Amino acid sequence: MEISVGHTPDSDDAFMFYGMFTGKVPSPDFKVNHVIEDIEKLNRKATNPQLDVTAVSVHACAYIPGYTILRSGGSFGIGYGPIVTAKQQMTIDEIKKCKIAIPGKMTSAFLLLQLMIGKFDYVEMNFSDIPEAIKNGKVDVGLVIHETQLSYEQEGNIKILDVGEWWDKKTNGLPVPLGINVMKTDLGMETICKFDKHLQASIEFGLENIEDALEYAMQYSRGKPRDLIEKFVKMYVNEVTVNMGDSGEESIRKLFEMAKEKNLIPDFEISIATK
């Protein structure tokens, strides 16, 4: 079966798909054509289902009823996650008076920050442009994701809020639900579970061959040094990535429960692949 698979130009996604896309983890069931897009573009594309499988933000699942969440391939922070940065310390009240640069309205980081501090004024921009925008004074505050969580100090910025830490305390240690992979529901649960297992095997292969997988992932490093990329990959390709398990599923359901209570997302039925 030929399927289209969308993922981001990010090193953690590349690491996960290393085995699959290089043919080192073959499947008798699937021939994969991969499409690479920024996460917010993939989120928007999923609202009008085009790709058979795609990486999306967990937040986006509230707007993509045609997809089922896979149990493997998720990006979950373990006590860490998105951060808010600026050039100087601010109180939450001061932060809320600023226009905050965000990496997209459908990103999980945006939803999490709204849960943390309430609604706020924002401007959307590519996540990789946010640190520079703060440095140059285009915005005062930025919501930072991906490897820029680790490099913000190099741009002369400081961390003023830790969203991942807030979630960890708020939920008594549930993983921070950030990104996941989804598959078209109409392909049927049997096919979905087969692909889920294939993706899981690819992730496990990467973890078993970490140096080779990291080398492959470096093509999406955006000029960042290998040690930073390795640290980032090891943060977001973890045991919950291999299989979300009960804790990952609970964290996703908790996010949506909290968001619905605050009317931040529409009411919808979540679909998760069977175990």
Side-chain angles (χ1 to χ4, degrees):
M1 177 183 182
E2 193 164 327
I3 60 169
S4 53
V5 176
H7 77 84
T8 67
D10 302 320
S11 50
D12 57 335
D13 266 17
F15 184 97
M16 287 187 248
F17 284 101
Y18 164 64
M20 185 185 297
F21 290 162
T22 59
K24 295 179 187 295
V25 180
S27 167
D29 300 302
F30 302 105
K31 180 186 176 186
V32 173
N33 298 316
H34 70 283
V35 176
I36 298 174
E37 297 268 20
D38 169 77
I39 188 62
E40 190 66 352
K41 287 181 181 174
L42 290 176
N43 286 338
R44 289 174 180 156
K45 191 171 278 191
T47 60
N48 179 25
Q50 298 173 44
L51 299 168
D52 297 314
V53 177
T54 183
V56 293
S57 301
V58 174
H59 180 194
C61 290
Y63 306 95
I64 55 171
Y67 284 101
T68 291
I69 296 171
L70 301 183
R71 303 194 74 84
S72 59
S75 294
F76 293 85
I78 311 298
Y80 45 79
I83 59 172
V84 178
T85 64
K87 285 197 281 193
Q88 60 188 27
Q89 282 295 344
M90 297 183 188
T91 65
I92 287 181
D93 284 341
E94 288 171 334
I95 292 168
K96 289 175 73 172
K97 290 175 184 173
C98 296
K99 184 170 280 190
I100 302 175
I102 65 163
K105 287 193 293 186
M106 294 176 76
T107 60
S108 302
F110 178 55
L111 181 59
L112 285 161
L113 185 56
Q114 286 181 296
L115 288 171
M116 183 180 182
I117 70 171
K119 291 187 176 181
F120 53 85
D121 196 15
Y122 61 86
V123 57
E124 291 183 86
M125 59 178 67
N126 189 291
F127 83 90
S128 59
D129 296 333
I130 291 175
E132 192 69 21
I134 299 167
K135 180 182 177 182
N136 294 337
K138 289 182 180 177
V139 293
D140 294 318
V141 179
L143 177 59
V144 174
I145 61 172
H146 297 327
E147 68 271 15
T148 49
Q149 292 169 235
L150 303 177
S151 61
Y152 63 90
E153 290 176 322
Q154 295 167 17
E155 282 90 12
N157 300 323
I158 61 171
K159 178 169 69 174
I160 59 173
L161 280 182
D162 192 317
V163 182
E165 192 176 275
W166 168 83
W167 172 269
D168 185 64
K169 290 175 181 173
K170 186 80 174 174
T171 64
N172 294 314
L174 284 177
V176 187
L178 298 169
I180 43 163
N181 286 275
V182 295
M183 192 165 188
K184 280 183 178 177
T185 302
D186 62 12
L187 290 171
M189 192 56 75
E190 184 180 350
T191 299
I192 289 169
C193 289
K194 273 185 184 177
F195 184 82
D196 209 353
K197 293 283 193 299
H198 183 36
L199 177 54
Q200 182 173 329
S202 180
I203 298 164
E204 289 171 336
F205 182 82
L207 291 169
E208 290 161 6
N209 298 272
I210 196 160
E211 290 303 316
D212 291 340
L214 276 170
E215 193 60 41
Y216 175 82
M218 280 300 293
Q219 65 186 297
Y220 301 106
S221 66
R222 283 182 279 263
K224 297 288 192 290
R226 184 186 168 101
D227 60 341
L228 185 143
I229 294 300
E230 181 172 354
K231 183 178 180 181
F232 171 67
V233 166
K234 287 180 176 177
M235 285 171 68
Y236 287 106
V237 183
N238 50 48
E239 67 272 14
V240 197
T241 306
V242 176
N243 187 305
M244 71 168 67
D246 292 338
S247 65
E249 182 171 343
E250 186 181 348
S251 75
I252 291 171
R253 293 187 184 279
K254 183 68 174 176
L255 176 69
F256 290 138
E257 176 190 314
M258 291 167 66
K260 284 177 183 177
E261 283 176 3
K262 292 187 178 291
N263 295 314
L264 294 173
I265 58 171
D267 194 30
F268 73 103
E269 286 294 321
I270 189 171
S271 175
I272 301 179
T274 53
K275 295 180 183 179

